[in-house]
């Protein structure tokens, strides 16, 4: 036998189906957001934590002069080395059927089956590449546009090109992502290297320590020890050393930081859905005031009545879970596939961790119950006399507050508009909750738009800093006069600057070493680098050991200040520089800048340079790409090798794409917040129409038309929307600043902040449309209410 109060719960759930649907949808969207963000993050991190260590990642990598397996065997004989692996790695260019040239890093191993550091997954075709074949790294498939069966032309940097057939793909979790450096990655067989004018030798060395390293500093110290004690004495020249943070995939750190922001936004979405629960239960308790009085009069206790409403809220939550959990699983899988593609690793287990499922169940039930606790508690404290003789939803006071008196002074409004304004502010508590939801949704929407605008400004800033049309690396280094003359002979080239670029590490006072810092020796009056000084000054003529450092370097070495001396190890030797300023970085790497002439003398470069900054007659992407190809050919004819080219457009595109991925995730979460805000406004308008049933009857009785009734409720929705827009603009400014700064911190690169006026206008249009749509259905229902039904309504 079902107790009467539970019959009442069921009746209330189904008597107003639209109210139930809106509340359930609102809660479901919040649960969905939490499920996708927390579940997706949990699945991806679990996959990373198991997949990445299985590849046996290197503690330190070196780009070197050629070496062979005999050198690796000697290195592995050391007690402090667990494993070492050689890899042939060469930067080249490719094109498809005479199309534009694009950059690619082609790698090879003497025996793919015996790779023991930074291991590869098995290729998709079940075998390794044969002579004349190219296997594409899976993270480069979409970026490169290559697919199995394509025939591509490889520019080897020599006198001829070579045709290769794309025969499969292979996954290398440790490979650099094309969106981060603008280069695809491919693999060829050992016997294909001579066809590409490359020797059968290694030029990249990966080493794993036999001691478990815990920090990046320890990895750097280990790398420096191997470099100084093994590589240099053996005659293997270390061109560049790269220490890796132990157990951390490069991009995973960024993902974990950014995904935590997304989880917070997901939780915010769920909390906003709680506001609709508060509004709904508060209005329901007010509407049923007389029913409560009757039940109390016949002996119902507060606990029984409160339990009745809380069970109803639990039913809302349970229904929302039924909707959200299956959709959340689907959304989690799509999020994982998308995130796994960006992070370049394969996920085989898409199941949501059990702990996160329990969290989803808990928040789906607890958040609505907590939201309903206050209105239920207030309603249960109502005395029996007040409940029996009060007028319930009609018992509202208007005209006593400051806002009410201000509205009363407004003249010249039509009666429907005046009534709409009165109805908007008569329920101030409900209005406040609705505005909080819409305002936060507006603030996040505008903040995401500002992040997008900030990214565009950051990319533009990089272009303002580095104004060359082509950046070209030459190996080995060549005479400055020779490269300037050769580059100057290339059609379309207008100006050439030769720079000296050397990898270095800071030798700290305790003899520890910093992460990698690239020293760029450039003319002090350079045309192609325009620093944005944060502190101190730029280089000037006559500077000897003066150095300007990327401000981002102070993240790892915060003790450095303008006026300090800094010791940098360049090659085998220590060099002391005097810090004269800090410049804003440009995301590529951590750099320091010194006078080219001084660096030439200091490292005994003999007037040789290894990097060219080149200007061209035209500055569009196609012209820059064609000029880069002509430059490579011209240098090959002169017996010099250009190992890498990067055009200004490619540089900006690479930075923009790598940063814009973050905006995609944030936009998804902003859309969910917007959905909750729209549902909340629809729910509020539905409740307002229900509570205004008697007023509608009176209006219809005195001759009000359907158009007038529509005007009342649509105006009310538009007023709420406009208020949320104004408040959203105010809230969006600090939100934009915080979100932009948080993403900059996650990327270890400060973004240039720019507030988005377009985002403000876009939300204004959006909120007006949503306000009208959210008000149309309740208004149409109100217009269909007959006079008799309205006046008889309890």
């Amino acid at each position: 036998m079902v107790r009467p109060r539970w019959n009442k719960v069921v009746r209330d759930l189904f008597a107003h189906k639209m109210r139930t649907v809106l509340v359930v949808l609102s809660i479901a969207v919040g649960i969905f957001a939490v499920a996708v963000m927390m579940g997706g993050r949990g699945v991806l991190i679990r996959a990373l934590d198991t997949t990445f260590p299985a590849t046996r990642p290197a503690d330190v990598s070196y780009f070197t002069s050629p070496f062979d397996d005999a050198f690796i065997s000697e290195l592995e004989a050391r007690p402090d080395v667990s494993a070492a692996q050689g890899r042939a790695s060469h930067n080249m260019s490719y094109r498809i059927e005479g199309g534009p040239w694009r950059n690619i890093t082609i790698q090879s191993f003497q025996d793919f089956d015996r790779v023991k550091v930074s291991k590869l997954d098995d290729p998709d075709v079940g075998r390794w590449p044969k002579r004349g074949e190219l296997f594409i790294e899976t993270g480069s498939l979409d970026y490169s546009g290559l697919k199995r069966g394509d025939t591509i032309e490889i520019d080897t940097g020599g006198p001829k090109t070579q045709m290769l057939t794309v025969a499969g793909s292979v996954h290398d979790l440790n490979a650099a992502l094309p969106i981060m450096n603008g280069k695809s990655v491919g693999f060829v067989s050992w016997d294909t290297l001579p066809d590409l004018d490359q020797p059968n030798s290694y030029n990249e060395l990966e080493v794993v320590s036999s001691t478990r390293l815990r920090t990046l500093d320890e990895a750097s110290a280990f790398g420096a020890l191997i470099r100084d004690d093994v590589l240099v004495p053996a005659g293997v020249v270390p061109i560049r050393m790269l220490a890796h943070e132990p157990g951390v995939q490069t991009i995973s750190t960024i993902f974990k930081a950014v995904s935590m922001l997304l989880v917070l936004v997901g939780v915010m979405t769920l909390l906003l859905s709680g506001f609709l629960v508060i509004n709904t239960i508060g209005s329901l308790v007010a509407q049923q005031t007389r029913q409560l009085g009757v039940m109390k009069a016949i002996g119902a206790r507060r606990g029984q009545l409160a339990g009745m409403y809380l069970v109803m809220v639990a039913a809302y939550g349970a229904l929302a879970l039924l909707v959200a959990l299956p959709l959340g699983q689907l959304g989690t899988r799509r999020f994982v596939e998308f995130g796994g593609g960006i992070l370049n690793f394969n996920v085989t287990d898409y199941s949501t961790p059990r702990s996160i499922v329990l969290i989803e169940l808990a928040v789906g039930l607890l958040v609505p119950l907590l939201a309903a606790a206050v209105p239920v508690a207030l309603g249960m404290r109502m005395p029996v006399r007040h409940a029996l003789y009060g007028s319930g939803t009609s018992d509202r006071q208007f005209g006593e507050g400051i806002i009410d008196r201000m509205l009363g002074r407004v003249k010249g409004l039509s009666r429907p508009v005046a009534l709409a304004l009165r109805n908007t502010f008569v329920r101030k508590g409900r209005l406040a909750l609705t505005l909080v939801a819409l305002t936060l949704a507006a603030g996040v929407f505008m903040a995401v738009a500002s992040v997008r605008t900030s990214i565009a400004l950051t990319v533009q800033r990089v272009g303002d800093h580095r104004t060359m049309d082509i950046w070209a690396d030459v190996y080995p280094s060549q005479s400055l006069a020779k490269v300037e003359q050769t580059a100057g002979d290339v059609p379309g080239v207008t100006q050439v600057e030769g720079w000296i670029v050397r990898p270095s590490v800071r030798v700290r006072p305790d003899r520890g070493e910093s992460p990698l810092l690239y020293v760029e020796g450039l003319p002090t009056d350079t045309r192609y680098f325009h620093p944005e000084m944060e502190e101190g000054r730029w280089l000037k003529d006559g500077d000897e050991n003066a150095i300007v450092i990327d401000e981002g370097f102070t993240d790892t070495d915060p003790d450095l200040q303008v006026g300090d001396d800094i010791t940098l190890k360049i090659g085998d030797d220590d060099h002391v520089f005097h810090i004269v300023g800090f410049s804003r970085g440009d995301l590529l790497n951590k750099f320091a800048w010194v006078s080219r002439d001084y660096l030439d003398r200091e490292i005994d470069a003999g007037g040789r340079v290894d990097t060219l900054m080149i200007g061209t007659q035209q500055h569009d992407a196609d012209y820059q790409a064609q000029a880069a190809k002509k430059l490579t050919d011209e240098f090959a004819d002169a017996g010099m090798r250009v190992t890498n080219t990067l055009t200004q457009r490619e540089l900006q595109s690479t930075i923009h794409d790598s940063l814009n991925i973050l905006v995609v995730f944030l936009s998804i979460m902003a859309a969910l917040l917007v959905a909750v805000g729209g549902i909340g406004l629809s729910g509020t308008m539905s409740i307002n129409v229900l509570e205004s049933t008697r007023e509608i009857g009176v209006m219809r009785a005195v001759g009000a038309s359907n158009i007038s009734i529509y005007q009342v409720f649509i105006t009310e929705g538009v007023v709420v929307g406009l208020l949320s827009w104004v408040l959203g603009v105010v809230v969006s400014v600090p939100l934009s600043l915080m979100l932009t700064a948080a993403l900059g911190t996650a990327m270890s690169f400060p973004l240039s902040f720019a507030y988005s006026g377009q985002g403000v206008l876009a939300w204004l249009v959006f909120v007006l449309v949503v306000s009208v749509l959210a008000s149309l259905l309740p208004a149409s229902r109100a217009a269909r209410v007959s006079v008799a039904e309205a006046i008889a309504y309890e």
Side-chain angles (χ1 to χ4, degrees):
M1 188 89 175
V2 179
R3 294 175 181 264
R5 63 175 179 271
W6 306 131
N7 281 327
K8 173 176 167 48
V9 169
V10 175
R11 187 193 67 187
D12 286 341
L13 283 172
F14 293 98
H16 299 287
K17 298 182 181 63
M18 182 56 65
R19 178 177 63 196
T20 299
V21 168
L22 288 173
V23 174
V24 169
L25 279 179
S26 177
I27 299 172
V29 169
I31 297 172
F32 175 82
V34 172
V36 171
M37 290 302 104
M38 292 189 67
R41 186 176 191 271
V43 171
L44 286 171
I45 291 177
R46 180 183 62 198
L48 269 174
D49 290 344
T50 56
T51 306
F52 183 63
T55 67
R56 202 177 189 184
D59 290 314
V60 62
S61 301
Y62 306 89
F63 298 88
T64 70
S65 59
F67 62 93
D68 55 20
D69 283 325
F71 172 75
I72 295 176
S73 298
E74 293 177 9
L75 180 59
E76 288 185 317
R78 287 177 59 95
D80 56 351
V81 173
S82 172
Q85 177 68 56
R87 181 186 298 232
S89 181
H90 303 281
N91 293 320
M92 298 182 181
S93 300
Y94 74 94
R95 65 179 178 181
I96 307 174
E97 297 178 353
W101 290 96
R102 305 181 67 178
N103 293 326
I104 186 170
T105 299
I106 292 183
Q107 301 183 343
S108 183
F109 300 91
Q110 189 165 351
D111 187 348
F112 279 86
D113 289 318
R114 297 180 61 187
V115 175
K116 47 195 171 184
V117 181
S118 299
K119 301 176 184 177
L120 310 181
D121 287 347
D122 292 335
D124 62 339
V125 294
R127 61 173 178 81
W128 297 108
K130 300 177 181 178
R131 183 174 182 179
E133 292 182 342
L134 175 74
F135 279 21
I136 294 295
E137 204 284 314
T138 54
S140 299
L141 284 172
D142 291 338
Y143 184 87
S144 67
L146 297 176
K147 60 184 183 299
R148 190 187 307 171
D150 285 344
T151 298
I152 64 173
E153 182 180 5
I154 299 290
D155 177 16
T156 65
K160 63 182 180 68
T161 60
Q162 179 68 35
M163 306 303 293
L164 294 179
T165 300
V166 179
S169 63
V170 61
H171 181 224
D172 182 2
L173 183 55
N174 296 273
L177 299 180
I179 58 172
M180 301 301 290
N181 65 5
K183 299 177 188 176
S184 299
V185 177
F187 295 88
V188 299
S189 65
W190 195 249
D191 55 1
T192 301
L193 289 177
D195 297 334
L196 301 177
D197 293 333
Q198 304 301 331
N200 284 127
S201 58
Y202 303 118
N203 62 351
E204 183 177 343
L205 175 65
E206 298 171 294
V207 184
V208 179
S209 171
S210 60
T211 303
R212 182 183 177 186
L213 305 178
R214 293 177 173 81
T215 66
L216 183 59
D217 287 345
E218 290 181 359
S220 297
F222 171 71
L225 178 66
I226 297 298
R227 178 193 62 202
D228 298 340
D229 287 3
V230 182
L231 271 68
V232 174
V236 177
V237 179
I239 301 170
R240 184 175 56 156
M241 183 189 88
L242 183 61
H244 308 284
E245 187 170 354
V248 177
Q249 192 211 26
T250 304
I251 201 171
S252 67
T253 303
I254 299 173
F255 167 75
K256 289 179 180 180
V258 173
S259 61
M260 182 54 68
L261 289 176
L262 298 178
V263 170
L264 293 177
V265 176
V267 172
M268 186 187 301
T269 305
L270 182 62
L271 294 178
L272 291 185
S273 67
F275 293 154
L276 181 57
V277 174
I278 295 175
N279 277 344
T280 301
I281 298 302
S283 67
L284 185 62
V285 170
Q287 178 190 349
Q288 297 182 354
T289 298
R290 288 187 178 179
Q291 296 180 26
L292 288 171
V294 170
M295 287 186 285
K296 284 186 176 182
I298 61 176
R301 297 186 299 273
R302 288 185 182 180
Q304 292 175 319
L305 297 177
M308 181 176 65
Y309 286 101
L310 293 177
V311 166
M312 180 186 298
V313 174
Y316 286 145
L319 290 172
L321 285 169
L322 289 176
V323 174
L325 288 182
L327 292 177
Q329 287 294 320
L330 180 61
T332 296
R333 187 180 182 93
R334 295 292 178 266
F335 178 85
V336 169
E337 290 173 348
F338 181 63
I342 292 173
L343 297 172
N344 190 28
F345 68 92
N346 301 320
V347 179
T348 56
D349 182 5
Y350 289 92
S351 62
T352 303
R354 183 177 301 176
S355 59
I356 294 177
V357 174
L358 293 176
I359 291 174
E360 294 168 10
L361 292 171
V363 298
L365 294 174
L366 291 178
V367 170
L369 288 172
L370 291 174
V374 173
V376 168
L378 293 176
M380 298 310 102
R381 292 170 56 188
M382 187 182 302
V384 175
R385 176 181 174 82
H386 180 77
L388 286 173
Y389 295 102
S391 54
T393 59
S394 300
D395 188 18
R396 302 189 299 263
Q397 299 296 323
F398 183 84
E400 298 179 358
I402 296 176
I403 296 177
D404 304 339
R405 292 196 296 271
M406 291 174 61
L407 289 174
R409 296 191 183 98
V410 179
K411 307 298 181 183
L413 298 176
S414 64
R415 290 181 179 179
V417 172
L419 182 58
L421 290 175
R422 173 193 178 278
N423 287 347
T424 300
F425 292 96
V426 75
R427 312 169 188 90
K428 296 181 179 63
R430 186 181 307 157
L431 174 64
L433 291 174
T434 304
L435 285 178
V436 168
L438 283 173
T439 297
L440 286 178
V444 172
F445 179 91
M446 297 178 201
V448 171
S450 294
V451 169
R452 186 184 294 273
T453 304
S454 298
I455 287 174
L457 180 61
T458 302
V459 172
Q460 178 186 339
R461 193 196 78 205
V462 171
D464 292 340
H465 286 180
R466 295 186 180 268
T467 56
M468 77 292 164
D469 289 287
I470 302 171
W471 177 335
D473 294 326
V474 181
Y475 181 79
S477 57
Q478 300 290 334
S479 162
L480 173 62
K482 184 177 180 180
V483 297
E484 286 182 342
Q485 180 180 352
T486 305
D489 292 337
V490 176
V493 170
T494 57
Q495 293 176 323
V496 183
E497 278 186 9
W499 292 11
I500 302 171
V501 180
R502 292 289 187 275
S504 75
V505 292
R506 180 199 178 194
V507 181
R508 294 166 176 156
D510 61 359
R511 302 306 296 172
E513 294 186 354
S514 72
L516 202 62
L517 178 69
Y518 284 93
V519 178
E520 294 187 323
L522 73 176
T524 55
D525 60 348
T526 176
R527 295 181 294 268
Y528 296 120
F529 185 68
H530 306 281
E532 185 178 342
M533 299 302 299
E534 294 290 328
E535 186 180 358
R537 65 170 178 85
W538 178 243
L539 304 172
K540 59 185 180 181
D541 290 342
D543 276 339
E544 285 296 308
N545 64 341
I547 189 170
V548 175
I549 298 178
D550 182 339
E551 67 165 351
F553 189 68
T554 59
D555 292 341
T556 56
D557 289 64
D559 60 303
L560 295 176
Q561 297 180 359
V562 172
D564 289 349
D565 287 337
I566 180 173
T567 301
L568 298 179
K569 179 184 284 295
I570 303 175
D572 300 331
D573 301 320
D574 292 352
H575 303 271
V576 178
F577 297 90
H578 185 70
I579 301 174
V580 297
F582 288 99
S583 172
R584 194 162 189 174
D586 58 9
L587 188 65
L588 301 174
N589 277 298
K590 295 297 184 291
F591 289 98
W593 300 273
V594 300
S595 164
R596 182 183 65 193
D597 294 340
Y598 176 78
L599 184 61
D600 189 342
R601 297 192 302 270
E602 186 72 7
I603 66 173
D604 195 22
R608 302 166 72 89
V609 297
D610 41 42
T611 296
L612 304 180
M613 298 295 170
I614 298 168
T616 58
Q617 291 176 350
Q618 299 179 31
H619 311 293
D620 58 276
D622 289 341
Y623 193 89
Q624 289 177 344
Q626 292 171 7
K629 176 61 174 66
K630 294 175 183 177
L631 179 80
T632 302
D633 293 340
E634 190 73 27
F635 270 67
D637 292 342
M640 296 180 289
R641 177 145 188 238
V642 174
T643 58
N644 182 54
T645 60
L646 182 66
T647 68
Q648 175 66 230
R649 300 301 179 186
E650 289 172 342
L651 171 63
Q652 294 187 14
S653 177
T654 297
I655 294 174
H656 183 274
D657 291 345
S658 62
L659 292 174
N660 214 42
I661 291 171
L662 310 178
V663 179
V664 173
F665 286 113
L666 290 171
S667 297
I668 294 171
M669 297 312 303
L672 293 175
L673 276 172
V674 168
V676 171
I679 292 171
L681 181 58
S682 298
T684 298
M685 293 307 302
S686 296
I687 294 170
N688 289 352
V689 169
L690 185 66
E691 293 186 351
S692 301
T693 301
R694 285 189 175 181
E695 294 176 1
I696 295 169
V698 173
M699 292 172 63
R700 296 292 298 274
V702 297
S705 64
N706 287 347
I707 293 178
S708 296
I709 295 174
Y710 271 95
Q711 188 177 1
V712 168
F713 293 104
I714 291 177
T715 301
E716 186 177 345
V718 169
V719 169
V720 174
L722 288 175
L723 285 173
S724 72
W725 174 70
V726 173
L727 295 173
V729 171
V730 175
V731 169
S732 69
V733 175
L735 272 179
S736 299
L737 287 167
M738 288 188 294
L739 191 56
T740 303
L743 289 177
T745 300
M747 296 287 293
S748 298
F749 175 72
L751 299 178
S752 298
F753 177 74
Y755 187 72
S756 175
Q758 290 182 340
V760 174
L761 294 177
W763 181 262
L764 175 60
V765 173
F766 171 82
V767 79
L768 289 176
V769 172
V770 169
S771 298
V772 171
L773 294 178
S775 306
L776 276 177
L777 182 58
S780 65
R781 291 170 56 199
R784 292 196 301 269
V785 175
S786 67
V787 175
E789 290 174 336
I791 294 178
Y793 177 79
E794 283 287 341

